[in-house]
Amino acid sequence: MADKFWANSALEPKRKHRWLLYLGGTDIPVFVIKTVKKPGFTINPAEHQFFGHKFYYPGNVTWDPVDVTLVDPVDPNVSKQLMKALQRSGYETPDVTEGGAAFTTSKLNATKVLNGQVKLEQLGPDNDPIETFKLWNPWITSVKFGDLDYTSDDMVEITMTIQYDYATL
């Protein structure tokens, strides 16, 4: 069966370099997104003990976070866009808070930052979408603004992690 796939010149495998990630609700353009890990899930086993034996059954589904690497250009300044996203989720630094009132992020505000949905399109040879993942109720859980190094000429990269409730394909 496998030899028939490679023998048929009309068949095209999915390629790693054909994709677009849309971070709704942000001004982050798609061209600064360098890499993305596709969604994945784990089915957690439920254990049941019966006399001296253990039996396992499929349990809850846990969706794995999605890691994204972005390039940080001077314009648009992606670092500033991500800081704005943090503030839009409800976070305020202590020096901004008036009268000592505490502010905190909420899931409602955090998911609004990404418009409640992130879309990952994998493209075919004609640049038409062949697969579209939608991440539901996504929110940014981690941002690392990169490393600086006098001995390197590389671009500054930002890594971001997105958590979500579930994905559809």
Side-chain angles (χ1 to χ4, degrees):
M1 178 82 175
D3 59 330
K4 295 184 186 254
F5 171 80
W6 296 110
N8 187 346
S9 63
L11 296 177
E12 176 78 21
K14 294 177 185 175
R15 304 290 183 145
K16 287 180 119 179
H17 67 276
R18 295 182 184 145
W19 56 272
L20 294 170
L21 179 67
Y22 299 97
L23 300 171
T26 69
D27 293 330
I28 298 172
V30 295
F31 68 85
V32 301
I33 303 170
K34 182 177 176 182
T35 65
V36 63
K37 184 174 80 170
K38 290 173 73 171
F41 63 87
T42 302
I43 301 175
N44 302 304
E47 181 181 296
H48 177 71
Q49 189 156 348
F50 185 70
F51 291 113
H53 302 279
K54 287 186 182 179
F55 297 92
Y56 297 92
Y57 298 92
N60 295 331
V61 174
T62 303
W63 287 92
D64 302 326
V66 170
D67 296 321
V68 181
T69 303
L70 307 104
V71 174
D72 193 11
V74 174
D75 186 26
N77 188 328
V78 176
S79 293
K80 283 186 179 179
Q81 294 297 327
L82 290 170
M83 285 303 293
K84 285 180 187 176
L86 178 62
Q87 292 166 345
R88 285 180 37 219
S89 70
Y91 177 79
E92 289 189 22
T93 58
D95 62 326
V96 176
T97 306
E98 295 180 21
F103 292 94
T104 185
T105 58
S106 69
K107 184 169 181 176
L108 177 65
N109 289 336
T111 57
K112 281 183 182 177
V113 168
L114 297 172
N115 278 351
Q117 192 179 91
V118 168
K119 186 169 70 168
L120 173 60
E121 288 182 348
Q122 193 160 354
L123 307 174
D126 299 327
N127 287 330
D128 294 324
I130 55 172
E131 210 176 72
T132 302
F133 277 101
K134 291 182 182 176
L135 310 183
W136 295 89
N137 297 321
W139 48 286
I140 299 168
T141 60
S142 172
V143 173
K144 307 287 187 246
F145 290 106
D147 300 323
L148 302 175
D149 182 353
Y150 281 121
T151 64
S152 176
D153 215 9
D154 294 340
M155 294 183 270
V156 173
E157 293 181 350
I158 298 171
T159 56
M160 175 174 64
T161 302
I162 300 173
Q163 184 64 60
Y164 51 99
D165 289 339
Y166 63 96
T168 56
L169 175 62

